[in-house]
Amino acid sequence: MIGRAERRRLFDMNWVVVAVIITLIAIGLLNLRNVDFYSTDSFHGRQLKWYLVGTVVAVICAVTDLHIISRLSYLFYAISIVMLIAVLFTKPINGSTRWLPLPLIGESVQPAEFAKIALIMALSRFYQDGFRDERHDDGPILRFMRPLLPFLLIAPPLFLIFIEPDLGTTLVTLFCALSIVFFEGLRWRTVFLAVGLVALIVPLGWRFFIHDYQRDRVRVWVDSGALQAEYESAKKALKQRPEDTELVVHVKELNEVLAKAYQPKQAEIAIGSGGFYGKGGQNGHADRQRGLPELHTDFVIACYGEERGFVGSSFLLTLYYLLCYWCIRVTKLARDRYQVLVAVGVCALIFWQFFVNVGMVTGLMPVVGVTLPLLSYGGSSVITICIGLGLLFNIVFRRRATG
Amino acid sequence: MPDYRASYRWTMLIMTVAFLTLLMRFFVLQIARTQEYQQDQQRIKTRAERLPARRGLIVDRNGVVLAQNVETHDLVMVPYRVKDPRKVGELLRKHLSLTVDEEQTLQELIRVGMENREKLDIVVLRQDVVSEHCPFGAQKLERLDVKKRTLWSATSGRSYFPTTSAETRCPHDRSKALEWNSSRTLGRCPDGLEYASASSDPIDGSPLAEKTWSLRCPSDGRLYNNEKAIVEAALYEMPGIEIRTSLRRVYPQKNLVSHLVGYVNQISAKDLESSPGEYLPNDRAGRTGVERSFEKELRGQWGQRNTLIERLGGDGPVVEVTDPNKPDKPVVDGATIRLTIDVRLQEAAQQAMRYHKSGAAVVMDVRTGEVLALYSKPTFDPNLWAGRLPAQVLQETNRSPYSPMLNKALTAYAPGSIYKLITATAGLHTHTTDFKREVMCPGYFEYGGRRFRCHLRTGHGSMDLVHAMARSCDIFFYKLGEEMGMDTLYHYATQYFGLGGPTGLEIGESEGLVPTREWHRKRDGVFMPGFTVSTAVGQKDIRLTPLQVTRAYVAVANGGLLLDAHVLKQVEDRGGRVLRATAPTGTTRLPLAEEELAGLKEGFWRTVNDEHGTAFDARIPGTGEVAGKTGTAEASERKAGVTEDIARWLEEDHAWFSGYAPARNPEIALTVFVEHGLSGGKMAGPVAMQIVKAYLDMRNDGSRPQEQVEPNPIRSEPTRITPPPQGPPAPVEGARPSQEVPSGSSNAPVEQQNSRPGTAGRAGVALPGVALPGVALPADHAEPPNAEAAPPSQPEGRVNHEPMEIELP
């Protein structure tokens, strides 16, 4: 499939990509260390531990026979569904049930993250098995329904993630799945269905499944007046009756809500104030933690952008671009359909999260709670990416020697 | 495998476009708009907020509250938020019942506030807006079921109930007759309510308008409206106006302990300067009394909250959060000051003094030196002085000839015969006299060409020390004084009795004056030995405060130990834990042997219990045995612009009584001082007896609480006694051995005589009648017929003496 010259380029590219990945991980850890500086936490240490585990997982994924993995895809999918159902019965944290505590390890994991990669693998398997392909003996109904069949796989995990609730991950998962589906070919029916799905999810989610504070974030993005007014009047009332503890608590809550709601604006300001060269490590605005309580998760780019400026930001963008480019290139090395689609899925995984996260942190989109792969703190995310990259390296290792 | 080339290309295209979009966005943020964002970030402000501390309480020894805090509401203006000051003024005028003067002040404040809006954060427009409590008190206002309607004058602030001029009985109580004035415009009821029949104020003619009231203060019956609620309802129309809650100081005992406790008010410029960083210009601080002397303990410590203020997102809401790098400094509330005063004794003093216009009473515990009562009359209501003082009250106070703001217990006056204690002690210790020596009192004493009279014109006859004390014979003590000399008296007064100096009291007091020869030379240019004679009986220039006197008698009562007077029992924190307590202090002992002290005490006992004693008629049943000394001190003074009554009052002598009870086993010593009260025995004595009775009643029915009593200090080791001054007293007054007095002339009345230089007294008392070389004796003046003590020695026009001013710290 590939010419010798191209093969060599790809081979070189693989080493480049390894460097890119290592650089991204390093930047991520360093950045988290700086994030910790602005608050009293210590995320970078824990993230490092997750990466060590992740490396092991990646290696496993890279060396195991892909056929075995391929055949286990539906199993992984089933496991992920079970985990997704199980998590719904845990105690809600901040109003959502996203974390499953693992008794043996002592840490919690997010099933939604694993569901992403499991879905990718299951979908790829689905296409590999040819379920999507039209058969000559299809009746008219079946012929109509064929393009919709992948959605039978997509729907369950999507729905389960959606009702956790976790709108961000839902959307990302959907986009990943759609990326695979559309990579396979564009059909108007599919497009309509996809649009329909999004149109369905977003308003429903908005009304029933996201929190006030998330809603407030978006509301703030659209119009900030009402929340502001409520806060101002509460503050005024507090001035008159400073001993009213209920009022004190109320003002404090509104304070926090506003802080959260205005995070994207704060992040935008932080990034913008970085200028061309950035302010340097740990030189960002010292009162960071207050204005950006989620600096270590959703808003990591804010810290990075302020400290490293345009130079650093464009460098980071380039790194991600190279990574995604490499992922897509890997499709050329794939030996079967499964491998192609897995590569597409992993690329989509990284790309969509990256794009939505940076988009929302820089103010292009409303906030939907998506973390930045490799940079944001999050154990499950790290493991998932490690699995994905491991699989991709697996594909690279087993590429055809000759075209 | 299907052909993915198209998909591949599409994917690459989408990804590339996406990345370029993001890159452009970063460009916009970090290059194009970076200035704007950097400015946004600069807008984080820090604010250091002072958290006020609650002022500590002042309580008496049993915990009765003398000063406390009550919630108050102030109407304030934040100038930079006010948009329409004129509208604000109109609205406030509409909603508050302001007199014309108050309205002017308000307008002025608004105007000044708006002019200085850059500099001023807050302007207090009206203090203590009425809401739940009576002004000047802690009582809660009661809500009236039926609103009362009155006619109100905006000029004077007076309220009248409306009625018609035909009315003859009080509309609110028909059993009482309504008395009209001549023009039938003002009707008064026996209980004080006033009615008006016309639409203008009967007194000053100002227009009356109807006003309804919904609240009433139970203690004085005055009517109010809930100003706070009224203003609050209209706040939305007046941006920039706020109601702020704070604490106001209230004195539940009103004028009972006012001089001692003092009051708080806005801090003076001087105090502000002397404690930089402790106060803000609008703060309240103690101005007099305990409130001032213990200001540091009472005020506690301000806390601080450091807040970060940030405008979110450039133009979003302003959010405040406590600064994590600068933690709060916690507020420390003021400590409670527990005084040694017993409010019940204070009340007894007030009750006992009720028929006199001016004076003081001091009661001390002889075992510890604690001051149990410190009363001065006339008093004032500190509640008025701590808040919005009505102009009328200020005027009346300034005009009163009785000096209500003066704490007379701590002001120095001529003590009169009270001082004989010191003269006697000096006499005994210098061996000028003993209990056997007798001195003849013919009713006068000629010395240095002058005749000094005894208060008993007819003379006491031959007296020994005990009887001279009991009957307050002046001649005996003139003699002693003359023989010892002024500086000797000074020595004993200051060294052993602590006179002429501080008593150890924690609040400011006058130190009084004990003259010496040097002092006289400095002030008068000359010293005359006659001065000593007067001084020996507490006349002329000697000045003592009632507290100093009490302290001297405490020493006698407890067996000879001069204790420091103190009014602070202990300082407690808000939880009741004792931070610091005062223990009795004092090491000086009176230079008297036990028998000598006993002898003096016999004299004091006889003053009250011997039929010839000067306080014999002052006794009342129920006091047990009381011992003491009377004093009547010449105190004639002149003041300009007073009425005839006052002028006459000013000429009278001061009346003193000092003593202790129970006589055999003393527990308290007390002094009663009646300013210009005429006679110690007749006026001050009975007051003292009533106080003693009250004390014993309190003690006997167990209402005096148990307290830790120090083991009797008499048992402690005597300390060094300073020797008398070097050398014998000045030769002119040379120590004389007892003189034999021919008995014949002892009781005969002596003619008033113009003394001539060189004439010796005829009654046989041998005196060096020769005037000192080079010293001219002043011409004698005719004695006014009413004088009972030593003759006046100053030329006319010169005021004899004035009570010393209290020196506030």
Side-chain angles (χ1 to χ4, degrees):
Chain A
M1 233 170 35
I2 318 164
R4 193 175 287 254
E6 225 180 328
R7 214 175 342 121
R8 218 171 321 174
R9 245 180 297 142
L10 273 178
F11 193 45
D12 291 340
M13 175 128 205
N14 291 328
W15 286 115
V16 168
V17 135
V18 168
V20 163
I21 292 172
I22 293 178
T23 311
L24 277 175
I25 295 176
I27 288 178
L29 288 174
L30 200 72
N31 193 43
L32 272 182
R33 193 171 71 103
N34 288 345
V35 164
D36 287 342
F37 165 75
Y38 296 112
S39 63
T40 48
D41 304 304
S42 119
F43 288 113
H44 71 281
R46 291 155 71 185
Q47 185 84 326
L48 182 61
K49 286 185 205 135
W50 281 114
Y51 272 118
L52 291 175
V53 174
T55 312
V56 172
V57 171
V59 166
I60 294 175
C61 292
V63 301
T64 315
D65 190 345
L66 259 180
H67 291 121
I68 302 176
I69 295 176
S70 167
R71 257 179 264 141
L72 290 177
S73 299
Y74 288 131
L75 180 63
F76 291 141
Y77 175 81
I79 295 176
S80 73
I81 296 288
V82 168
M83 283 169 74
L84 279 175
I85 294 176
V87 85
L88 293 175
F89 295 101
T90 59
K91 198 167 71 137
I93 300 175
N94 279 343
S96 51
T97 51
R98 300 184 193 181
W99 287 272
L100 203 57
L102 291 182
L104 295 170
I105 307 179
E107 293 269 9
S108 303
V109 292
Q110 278 184 271
E113 292 289 324
F114 297 125
K116 281 192 277 193
I117 194 79
L119 178 61
I120 290 172
M121 285 160 66
L123 261 185
S124 309
R125 184 80 224 148
F126 176 87
Y127 280 96
Q128 166 80 357
D129 290 342
F131 291 127
R132 169 67 186 80
D133 301 330
E134 281 177 9
R135 314 239 167 109
H136 55 269
D137 58 351
D138 276 347
I141 304 168
L142 209 54
R143 195 172 302 167
F144 182 78
M145 293 293 288
R146 279 260 181 229
L148 309 176
L149 281 180
F151 290 93
L152 289 179
L153 264 184
I154 297 172
L158 206 66
F159 176 72
L160 289 170
I161 297 174
F162 182 64
I163 61 174
E164 275 180 357
D166 189 344
L167 185 62
T169 313
T170 311
L171 286 175
V172 163
T173 313
L174 180 63
F175 291 154
C176 286
L178 288 180
S179 302
I180 294 179
V181 170
F182 285 137
F183 201 79
E184 272 287 329
L186 215 52
R187 294 277 184 284
W188 287 116
R189 257 168 300 183
T190 330
V191 171
F192 283 140
L193 186 59
V195 168
L197 257 180
V198 174
L200 192 67
I201 288 179
V202 173
L204 268 183
W206 181 263
R207 198 119 183 272
F208 295 110
F209 286 106
I210 68 175
H211 294 152
D212 287 332
Y213 84 84
Q214 288 170 312
R215 220 170 288 162
D216 291 332
R217 278 158 144 186
V218 183
R219 211 192 278 154
V220 159
W221 192 71
V222 171
D223 156 46
S224 47
L227 201 61
Q228 204 166 335
E230 187 187 339
Y231 178 68
E232 296 284 332
S233 69
K235 261 204 304 182
K236 205 165 179 193
L238 185 62
K239 260 195 165 163
Q240 311 221 337
R241 302 196 302 274
E243 351 66 52
D244 187 341
T245 39
E246 252 186 58
L247 208 52
V248 168
V249 168
H250 184 54
V251 167
K252 246 189 159 161
E253 276 173 1
L254 281 176
N255 222 342
E256 280 170 22
V257 166
L258 278 171
K260 278 215 174 113
Y262 272 82
Q263 269 185 117
K265 205 67 170 66
Q266 299 289 89
E268 191 184 312
I269 293 174
I271 293 175
S273 72
F276 190 76
Y277 289 108
K279 295 182 185 169
Q282 300 186 354
N283 286 340
H285 203 94
D287 305 306
R288 175 56 38 70
Q289 180 63 0
R290 237 177 354 83
L292 289 164
E294 285 160 350
L295 190 61
H296 55 293
T297 51
D298 293 8
F299 291 92
V300 263
I301 270 284
C303 178
Y304 182 82
E306 186 176 11
E307 290 181 351
R308 309 299 170 187
F310 186 73
V311 169
S313 309
S314 44
F315 178 61
L316 193 72
L317 281 185
T318 315
L319 288 179
Y320 273 104
Y321 184 74
L322 284 175
L323 185 60
C324 292
Y325 174 68
W326 174 76
C327 290
I328 292 297
R329 291 288 275 195
V330 167
T331 61
K332 301 240 178 176
L333 297 178
R335 283 212 226 154
D336 60 20
R337 210 167 171 181
Y338 177 80
Q339 293 177 1
V340 167
L341 295 178
V342 164
V344 169
V346 171
C347 174
L349 188 62
I350 297 177
F351 171 76
W352 283 115
Q353 262 195 262
F354 165 78
F355 182 65
V356 170
N357 179 280
V358 176
M360 84 184 180
V361 171
T362 52
L364 285 176
M365 310 177 217
V367 172
V368 284
V370 169
T371 56
L372 188 61
L374 291 177
L375 250 55
S376 285
Y377 171 77
S380 309
S381 172
V382 163
I383 301 295
T384 305
I385 304 233
C386 287
I387 295 174
L389 293 176
L391 289 176
L392 255 52
F393 274 107
N394 200 328
I395 297 174
V396 168
F397 292 157
R398 287 164 213 288
R399 66 186 176 284
R400 285 188 204 282
T402 52
Chain B
M1 239 177 11
D3 180 8
Y4 289 116
R5 275 178 305 181
S7 301
Y8 181 89
R9 276 186 225 123
W10 273 107
T11 310
M12 286 307 304
L13 182 66
I14 293 172
M15 277 189 356
T16 310
V17 166
F19 274 102
L20 285 177
T21 311
L22 290 180
L23 194 66
M24 276 232 310
R25 181 65 177 171
F26 272 101
F27 179 87
V28 165
L29 293 188
Q30 293 185 313
I31 295 178
R33 285 207 228 150
T34 182
Q35 288 290 47
E36 179 192 320
Y37 290 123
Q38 281 179 21
Q39 271 179 1
D40 280 338
Q41 275 205 332
Q42 297 311 323
R43 293 214 226 119
I44 296 185
K45 282 193 283 218
T46 46
R47 177 179 70 199
E49 200 183 324
R50 266 218 306 179
L51 304 170
R54 293 178 71 95
R55 197 172 171 85
L57 301 176
I58 302 178
V59 299
D60 89 333
R61 65 186 305 121
N62 301 320
V64 174
V65 174
L66 304 175
Q68 64 186 82
N69 307 303
V70 140
E71 202 180 67
T72 187
H73 307 281
D74 295 332
L75 183 69
V76 305
M77 172 174 85
V78 184
Y80 64 84
R81 282 201 212 140
V82 173
K83 305 219 174 10
D84 187 349
R86 200 149 43 100
K87 184 166 173 224
V88 164
E90 269 173 38
L91 284 169
L92 285 176
R93 190 166 14 125
K94 187 173 89 168
H95 292 297
L96 298 168
S97 342
L98 302 172
T99 64
V100 168
D101 289 327
E102 288 174 328
E103 200 190 305
Q104 260 186 354
T105 317
L106 192 74
Q107 299 292 0
E108 187 60 27
L109 284 168
I110 295 179
R111 188 183 66 82
V112 168
M114 295 307 289
E115 273 175 21
N116 296 313
R117 58 201 302 171
E118 320 292 324
K119 287 180 275 172
L120 291 174
D121 251 353
I122 302 253
V123 175
V124 177
L125 295 179
R126 191 169 169 84
Q127 268 178 2
D128 222 1
V129 169
V130 178
S131 71
E132 286 171 359
H133 298 277
C134 298
F136 311 123
Q139 259 208 311
K140 266 191 149 27
L141 290 167
E142 59 184 23
R143 185 173 279 278
L144 296 170
D145 294 323
V146 177
K147 291 196 188 166
K148 290 254 189 308
R149 197 164 55 95
T150 65
L151 298 172
W152 184 73
S153 159
T155 315
S156 62
R158 277 191 290 264
S159 267
Y160 305 93
F161 288 98
T163 189
T164 57
S165 55
E167 191 62 69
T168 50
R169 308 212 71 84
C170 296
H172 68 280
D173 182 354
R174 303 214 75 90
S175 67
K176 301 196 170 72
L178 185 63
E179 283 178 29
W180 286 102
N181 62 351
S182 49
S183 49
R184 278 194 106 79
T185 51
L186 173 64
R188 206 174 265 122
C189 271
D191 55 11
L193 291 182
E194 291 183 329
Y195 287 83
S197 61
S199 58
S200 49
D201 189 322
I203 297 183
D204 60 19
S206 55
L208 295 174
E210 252 193 39
K211 211 161 176 58
T212 45
W213 310 93
S214 53
L215 300 170
R216 184 177 164 276
C217 177
S219 58
D220 61 12
R222 290 187 163 187
L223 300 172
Y224 301 95
N225 279 325
N226 191 336
E227 290 179 342
K228 172 172 170 270
I230 296 173
V231 170
E232 269 182 337
L235 276 183
Y236 71 95
E237 287 182 288
M238 301 184 281
I241 300 291
E242 290 172 21
I243 302 249
R244 296 221 164 173
T245 314
S246 67
L247 293 172
R248 139 166 88 89
R249 199 69 161 163
V250 198
Y251 302 96
Q253 298 300 324
K254 293 214 171 134
N255 57 8
L256 184 62
V257 216
S258 34
H259 294 97
L260 180 59
V261 168
Y263 56 89
V264 295
N265 210 320
Q266 205 169 17
I267 189 165
S268 69
K270 196 158 56 110
D271 289 335
L272 193 58
E273 271 173 53
S274 60
S275 334
E278 293 286 349
Y279 295 100
L280 292 179
N282 263 336
D283 280 351
R284 300 276 183 89
R287 302 282 256 154
T288 68
V290 166
E291 292 271 33
R292 190 195 174 96
S293 303
F294 292 99
E295 170 69 18
K296 198 143 177 285
E297 287 91 341
L298 286 169
R299 74 165 177 240
Q301 246 178 49
W302 291 83
Q304 201 174 56
R305 185 183 299 140
N306 295 302
T307 321
L308 296 169
I309 308 171
E310 182 178 6
R311 188 171 274 287
L312 289 182
D315 60 353
V318 175
V319 160
E320 299 175 9
V321 154
T322 44
D323 189 337
N325 298 325
K326 283 189 250 169
D328 291 351
K329 194 166 77 148
V331 173
V332 177
D333 281 337
T336 300
I337 302 289
R338 184 179 288 259
L339 300 177
T340 55
I341 299 291
D342 191 325
V343 150
R344 298 168 299 176
L345 265 185
Q346 195 85 1
E347 270 168 6
Q350 189 181 54
Q351 178 73 350
M353 289 275 291
R354 65 190 178 286
Y355 297 118
H356 300 289
K357 299 192 203 77
S358 171
V362 178
V363 181
M364 280 173 66
D365 183 322
V366 309
R367 292 161 291 190
T368 59
E370 292 181 338
V371 176
L372 300 174
L374 194 85
Y375 178 72
S376 170
K377 182 169 178 162
T379 58
F380 58 93
D381 184 354
N383 289 301
L384 298 177
W385 289 81
R388 282 201 310 261
L389 185 66
Q392 204 186 359
V393 172
L394 182 62
Q395 272 177 9
E396 278 173 14
T397 306
N398 287 338
R399 277 206 299 249
S400 169
Y402 300 114
S403 312
M405 302 307 288
L406 192 60
N407 188 344
K408 305 201 169 97
L410 303 177
T411 308
Y413 303 93
S417 305
I418 299 279
Y419 195 67
K420 287 174 182 162
L421 162 64
I422 286 77
T423 314
T425 306
L428 285 169
H429 193 241
T430 56
H431 302 294
T432 311
T433 182
D434 55 22
F435 287 98
K436 296 204 199 63
R437 173 177 177 178
E438 288 194 7
V439 169
M440 181 56 172
C441 170
Y444 61 87
F445 177 75
E446 283 197 10
Y447 178 69
R450 300 191 50 202
R451 177 168 287 211
F452 296 87
R453 297 208 151 267
C454 184
H455 75 90
L456 187 61
R457 285 311 176 77
T458 49
H460 291 97
S462 188
M463 294 257 103
D464 67 8
L465 179 57
V466 170
H467 288 92
M469 191 69 90
R471 305 183 196 197
S472 203
C473 172
D474 295 322
I475 306 302
F476 192 98
F477 294 94
Y478 285 155
K479 194 96 183 56
L480 289 187
E482 175 243 339
E483 290 170 15
M484 290 189 288
M486 177 163 286
D487 288 350
T488 310
L489 286 176
Y490 172 85
H491 173 76
Y492 282 88
T494 54
Q495 287 286 27
Y496 297 105
F497 289 96
L499 304 174
T503 60
L505 195 70
E506 297 90 338
I507 68 175
E509 54 173 338
S510 169
E511 295 195 343
L513 178 75
V514 183
T516 60
R517 289 182 294 172
E518 190 56 40
W519 183 87
H520 271 288
R521 284 193 200 106
K522 277 214 187 87
R523 193 193 70 157
D524 302 322
V526 68
F527 169 74
M528 308 293 293
F531 296 173
T532 309
V533 169
S534 301
T535 307
V537 295
Q539 297 292 156
K540 199 146 183 355
D541 291 298
I542 184 162
R543 300 282 180 272
L544 302 177
T545 70
L547 181 65
Q548 286 173 325
V549 170
T550 315
R551 186 177 174 224
Y553 280 83
V554 161
V556 170
N558 71 18
L561 183 63
L562 183 71
L563 293 169
D564 290 335
H566 60 276
V567 83
L568 172 73
K569 189 144 175 74
Q570 53 197 33
V571 179
E572 301 163 6
D573 71 8
R574 261 218 131 68
R577 200 166 54 103
V578 177
L579 301 173
R580 131 169 107 95
T582 323
T585 47
T587 48
T588 313
R589 296 203 68 94
L590 298 184
L592 297 168
E594 247 183 83
E595 323 80 67
E596 290 173 325
L597 186 59
L600 282 183
K601 285 172 104 167
E602 165 102 11
F604 293 132
W605 184 87
R606 280 180 184 262
T607 304
V608 177
N609 298 293
D610 183 325
E611 61 175 336
H612 297 294
T614 50
F616 188 69
D617 295 327
R619 287 171 312 146
I620 57 174
T623 60
E625 285 194 334
V626 179
K629 184 77 193 75
T630 58
T632 309
E634 205 185 67
S636 180
E637 49 177 335
R638 277 190 171 76
K639 275 198 189 135
V642 293
T643 65
E644 233 188 87
D645 285 335
I646 304 289
R648 240 177 288 145
W649 174 74
L650 287 171
E651 285 173 12
E652 301 297 350
D653 299 335
H654 291 324
W656 292 82
F657 179 87
S658 258
Y660 49 89
R664 305 286 176 198
N665 206 355
E667 292 171 21
I668 56 165
L670 75 165
T671 300
V672 171
F673 165 73
V674 182
E675 195 178 13
H676 299 300
L678 275 176
S679 153
K682 294 205 186 68
M683 297 298 166
V687 173
M689 295 301 169
Q690 286 175 53
I691 298 177
V692 170
K693 177 166 192 303
Y695 168 76
L696 290 172
D697 289 341
M698 252 171 44
R699 188 190 57 144
N700 292 335
D701 66 26
S703 54
R704 175 173 179 171
Q706 291 302 317
E707 49 145 0
Q708 308 291 23
V709 175
E710 296 282 299
N712 196 327
I714 300 174
R715 306 274 168 253
S716 61
E717 287 303 311
T719 50
R720 71 260 177 282
I721 296 172
T722 59
Q726 295 305 320
V732 67
E733 305 168 34
R736 293 307 216 98
S738 333
Q739 296 290 318
E740 283 297 330
V741 177
S743 48
S745 50
S746 56
N747 288 326
V750 180
E751 289 302 311
Q752 185 167 349
Q753 196 179 30
N754 284 331
S755 55
R756 298 181 306 277
T759 323
R762 257 202 282 134
V765 179
L767 292 169
V770 181
L772 280 177
V775 179
L777 290 170
D780 209 8
H781 291 273
E783 296 152 78
N786 290 332
E788 282 184 48
S793 45
Q794 271 96 3
E796 242 185 53
R798 179 148 164 219
V799 178
N800 203 351
H801 48 250
E802 284 129 19
M804 301 292 239
E805 290 297 299
I806 290 185
E807 292 153 41
L808 288 173

